[in-house]
Coordinates of all heavy atoms in Angstrom, one line a residue:
K1 N 181.6 -34.5 170.6 CA 180.9 -35.0 169.5 C 181.5 -36.3 168.9 O 180.9 -37.0 168.2 CB 180.8 -34.0 168.4 CG 179.8 -32.8 168.6 CD 179.7 -31.9 167.4 CE 178.8 -30.8 167.7 NZ 178.6 -29.9 166.5
L2 N 182.8 -36.5 169.3 CA 183.5 -37.7 168.8 C 183.0 -38.9 169.4 O 182.9 -39.1 170.7 CB 185.0 -37.5 169.1 CG 185.9 -38.7 168.6 CD1 186.0 -38.6 167.1 CD2 187.3 -38.6 169.2
V3 N 182.6 -39.9 168.6 CA 182.3 -41.2 169.0 C 183.1 -42.2 168.2 O 183.5 -42.0 167.1 CB 180.7 -41.5 168.8 CG1 179.8 -40.6 169.6 CG2 180.4 -41.4 167.3
V4 N 183.2 -43.4 168.8 CA 184.2 -44.5 168.2 C 183.4 -45.7 168.1 O 182.7 -46.1 169.0 CB 185.4 -44.6 169.0 CG1 186.2 -45.8 168.4 CG2 186.2 -43.3 169.0
L5 N 183.4 -46.3 166.9 CA 182.8 -47.7 166.6 C 183.9 -48.6 166.2 O 184.9 -48.2 165.6 CB 181.7 -47.5 165.5 CG 180.6 -46.7 165.8 CD1 180.9 -45.2 165.4 CD2 179.3 -47.2 164.9
D6 N 183.7 -49.9 166.6 CA 184.7 -50.9 166.2 C 184.0 -52.2 165.9 O 182.9 -52.5 166.4 CB 185.7 -51.0 167.4 CG 187.0 -51.7 167.0 OD1 187.0 -52.9 166.8 OD2 187.9 -50.9 166.8
G7 N 184.7 -53.0 165.1 CA 184.1 -54.3 164.7 C 184.7 -55.4 165.5 O 185.2 -56.4 164.9
D8 N 184.7 -55.4 166.8 CA 185.1 -56.4 167.7 C 186.6 -56.7 167.6 O 187.1 -57.8 167.7 CB 184.3 -57.7 167.4 CG 184.3 -58.7 168.6 OD1 184.3 -58.1 169.8 OD2 184.3 -59.9 168.5
L9 N 187.3 -55.6 167.3 CA 188.7 -55.7 167.2 C 189.5 -54.6 168.0 O 190.5 -54.1 167.7 CB 189.2 -55.6 165.8 CG 188.9 -56.9 164.9 CD1 189.0 -56.5 163.4 CD2 189.8 -58.1 165.3
S10 N 188.8 -54.1 169.0 CA 189.3 -52.9 169.7 C 190.7 -53.0 170.3 O 191.4 -51.9 170.3 CB 188.3 -52.4 170.7 OG 188.2 -53.4 171.8
K11 N 191.1 -54.2 170.7 CA 192.5 -54.3 171.2 C 193.5 -54.2 170.1 O 194.6 -53.8 170.3 CB 192.6 -55.6 172.0 CG 191.8 -55.6 173.3 CD 192.1 -56.9 174.1 CE 191.4 -56.9 175.4 NZ 191.5 -58.2 176.2
S12 N 193.1 -54.7 168.9 CA 194.0 -54.7 167.8 C 194.0 -53.3 167.1 O 195.1 -52.8 166.7 CB 193.6 -55.7 166.8 OG 193.7 -57.0 167.3
T13 N 192.8 -52.7 167.0 CA 192.8 -51.4 166.3 C 193.2 -50.3 167.3 O 193.3 -49.1 166.9 CB 191.3 -51.1 165.8 OG1 190.5 -51.1 166.9 CG2 190.9 -52.1 164.8
M14 N 193.3 -50.6 168.5 CA 193.8 -49.6 169.6 C 192.6 -48.7 170.0 O 192.9 -47.6 170.5 CB 195.0 -48.9 169.2 CG 196.2 -49.8 169.0 SD 196.6 -50.6 170.5 CE 198.2 -51.5 170.0
T15 N 191.4 -49.0 169.7 CA 190.2 -48.1 170.2 C 189.9 -48.5 171.5 O 189.0 -47.8 172.2 CB 189.1 -48.3 169.2 OG1 188.6 -49.6 169.2 CG2 189.5 -47.8 167.8
A16 N 190.4 -49.5 172.2 CA 190.0 -50.0 173.5 C 190.2 -48.9 174.6 O 189.3 -48.7 175.5 CB 190.7 -51.2 173.9
G17 N 191.2 -48.1 174.4 CA 191.5 -47.0 175.4 C 190.4 -46.0 175.4 O 190.0 -45.5 176.5
F18 N 189.9 -45.6 174.2 CA 188.8 -44.7 174.1 C 187.5 -45.3 174.8 O 186.8 -44.7 175.5 CB 188.4 -44.3 172.7 CG 187.4 -43.3 172.5 CD1 187.8 -41.9 172.3 CD2 186.1 -43.6 172.5 CE1 186.8 -41.0 172.2 CE2 185.1 -42.6 172.3 CZ 185.4 -41.3 172.1
G19 N 187.3 -46.6 174.5 CA 186.1 -47.3 175.1 C 186.2 -47.3 176.6 O 185.1 -47.2 177.3
K20 N 187.4 -47.4 177.1 CA 187.5 -47.5 178.6 C 187.2 -46.1 179.2 O 186.5 -46.0 180.3 CB 188.9 -48.0 179.0 CG 189.2 -48.2 180.5 CD 190.5 -48.7 180.7 CE 190.8 -48.8 182.3 NZ 192.1 -49.4 182.5
E21 N 187.7 -45.1 178.6 CA 187.5 -43.7 179.2 C 186.2 -43.1 178.8 O 185.6 -42.4 179.7 CB 188.6 -42.8 178.7 CG 188.6 -41.4 179.3 CD 189.9 -40.7 179.3 OE1 190.9 -41.3 179.2 OE2 189.8 -39.5 179.5
F22 N 185.6 -43.5 177.7 CA 184.4 -43.0 177.3 C 183.4 -44.0 176.9 O 183.0 -44.2 175.7 CB 184.5 -41.9 176.1 CG 185.5 -40.9 176.4 CD1 186.8 -41.0 175.7 CD2 185.2 -39.8 177.2 CE1 187.7 -40.0 175.9 CE2 186.2 -38.8 177.4 CZ 187.4 -38.9 176.7
P23 N 183.0 -44.9 177.8 CA 182.1 -46.1 177.5 C 180.8 -45.6 176.8 O 180.2 -46.4 175.9 CB 181.9 -46.7 178.8 CG 182.2 -45.7 179.8 CD 183.2 -44.8 179.2
E24 N 180.3 -44.5 177.2 CA 179.0 -44.1 176.7 C 179.2 -43.6 175.2 O 178.1 -43.4 174.5 CB 178.4 -43.0 177.5 CG 179.0 -41.6 177.4 CD 180.4 -41.5 178.1 OE1 180.8 -42.4 178.7 OE2 181.0 -40.4 177.9
R25 N 180.3 -43.4 174.7 CA 180.6 -42.9 173.3 C 181.3 -44.0 172.5 O 181.8 -43.7 171.4 CB 181.4 -41.6 173.3 CG 180.6 -40.4 173.9 CD 181.3 -39.1 173.5 NE 182.3 -38.7 174.5 CZ 183.4 -38.0 174.3 NH1 183.7 -37.6 173.1 NH2 184.1 -37.6 175.3
F26 N 181.4 -45.2 173.0 CA 182.0 -46.3 172.3 C 181.1 -47.4 172.0 O 180.3 -47.9 172.8 CB 183.2 -46.9 173.1 CG 183.9 -48.0 172.5 CD1 184.8 -47.8 171.6 CD2 183.7 -49.3 173.0 CE1 185.5 -48.8 170.9 CE2 184.3 -50.4 172.4 CZ 185.2 -50.1 171.4
F27 N 181.1 -47.9 170.8 CA 180.1 -48.9 170.3 C 180.8 -50.1 169.6 O 181.5 -49.9 168.5 CB 179.1 -48.3 169.4 CG 178.4 -47.1 169.9 CD1 178.9 -45.8 169.6 CD2 177.3 -47.2 170.7 CE1 178.3 -44.7 170.1 CE2 176.6 -46.1 171.2 CZ 177.2 -44.8 170.9
N28 N 180.8 -51.2 170.3 CA 181.3 -52.4 169.7 C 180.2 -53.0 168.8 O 179.3 -53.6 169.4 CB 181.8 -53.4 170.7 CG 182.4 -54.7 170.1 OD1 182.4 -54.8 168.9 ND2 182.9 -55.6 171.0
M29 N 180.4 -53.0 167.5 CA 179.3 -53.4 166.6 C 179.4 -54.8 166.3 O 178.6 -55.4 165.5 CB 179.4 -52.5 165.3 CG 179.3 -51.1 165.5 SD 177.8 -50.6 166.5 CE 176.5 -51.1 165.4
G30 N 180.4 -55.6 166.8 CA 180.7 -57.0 166.5 C 181.2 -57.2 165.1 O 181.6 -56.3 164.5
I31 N 181.2 -58.5 164.8 CA 181.9 -58.8 163.5 C 180.8 -58.7 162.4 O 180.2 -59.6 161.9 CB 182.4 -60.3 163.5 CG1 183.4 -60.4 164.7 CG2 183.1 -60.5 162.1 CD1 183.9 -61.8 164.9
A32 N 180.5 -57.4 162.1 CA 179.4 -57.0 161.2 C 179.8 -55.7 160.6 O 179.2 -54.7 160.9 CB 178.1 -57.0 161.9
E33 N 180.8 -55.7 159.7 CA 181.4 -54.5 159.2 C 180.4 -53.6 158.3 O 180.5 -52.4 158.5 CB 182.6 -54.8 158.4 CG 183.8 -55.4 159.2 CD 183.6 -56.9 159.5 OE1 182.7 -57.6 158.9 OE2 184.4 -57.5 160.2
Q34 N 179.5 -54.2 157.7 CA 178.6 -53.3 156.9 C 177.7 -52.6 157.9 O 177.4 -51.4 157.6 CB 177.7 -54.3 155.9 CG 178.6 -54.9 154.8 CD 177.8 -55.9 154.0 OE1 176.9 -56.6 154.5 NE2 178.1 -55.9 152.7
N35 N 177.2 -53.3 158.9 CA 176.4 -52.6 159.9 C 177.2 -51.5 160.6 O 176.7 -50.4 160.9 CB 175.8 -53.6 160.8 CG 174.9 -53.0 161.8 OD1 173.9 -52.4 161.4 ND2 175.0 -53.3 163.1
L36 N 178.5 -51.9 160.9 CA 179.4 -50.9 161.6 C 179.4 -49.6 160.8 O 179.2 -48.5 161.4 CB 180.8 -51.5 161.6 CG 182.0 -50.5 161.8 CD1 181.9 -50.0 163.3 CD2 183.3 -51.2 161.6
Y37 N 179.5 -49.5 159.5 CA 179.6 -48.4 158.7 C 178.3 -47.7 158.4 O 178.1 -46.5 158.3 CB 180.5 -48.6 157.4 CG 181.9 -48.7 157.9 CD1 182.6 -50.0 157.8 CD2 182.7 -47.7 158.3 CE1 183.8 -50.1 158.3 CE2 184.0 -47.8 158.8 CZ 184.6 -49.1 158.7 OH 185.9 -49.2 159.2
G38 N 177.2 -48.6 158.4 CA 175.9 -48.0 158.2 C 175.5 -47.2 159.5 O 174.9 -46.1 159.3
V39 N 175.7 -47.7 160.6 CA 175.5 -47.1 161.9 C 176.3 -45.8 162.0 O 175.8 -44.7 162.4 CB 175.7 -48.0 163.1 CG1 175.6 -47.1 164.4 CG2 174.7 -49.1 163.1
A40 N 177.5 -45.8 161.6 CA 178.4 -44.7 161.6 C 177.9 -43.6 160.8 O 177.9 -42.4 161.2 CB 179.9 -45.0 161.2
A41 N 177.3 -43.9 159.6 CA 176.7 -42.9 158.7 C 175.5 -42.3 159.5 O 175.3 -41.0 159.4 CB 176.3 -43.6 157.4
G42 N 174.7 -43.1 160.1 CA 173.5 -42.6 160.8 C 173.9 -41.6 162.0 O 173.3 -40.6 162.1
L43 N 174.9 -42.0 162.7 CA 175.4 -41.1 163.8 C 176.0 -39.9 163.3 O 175.7 -38.8 163.8 CB 176.5 -41.9 164.6 CG 176.1 -43.0 165.5 CD1 177.3 -43.8 166.0 CD2 175.3 -42.5 166.7
A44 N 176.6 -39.9 162.1 CA 177.2 -38.7 161.5 C 176.0 -37.7 161.1 O 176.1 -36.6 161.4 CB 178.0 -39.0 160.3
H45 N 175.0 -38.3 160.5 CA 173.9 -37.5 160.1 C 173.1 -37.0 161.3 O 172.3 -36.0 161.2 CB 172.9 -38.2 159.1 CG 173.6 -38.4 157.7 ND1 174.0 -37.3 157.0 CD2 173.9 -39.5 157.1 CE1 174.5 -37.7 155.8 NE2 174.4 -39.0 155.8
G46 N 173.3 -37.6 162.5 CA 172.6 -37.1 163.7 C 173.5 -36.1 164.4 O 173.2 -35.7 165.5

């Protein structure tokens, strides 16, 4: 159930390793932080 979202900083936040191993559960949302957390909320409610 664990999914990871990042704001185009995965090498700095260290989420890149998760993205490499679980690409289907990793979402780079770009430099759009409000959207990042809005999508995270939707995924949680799903």
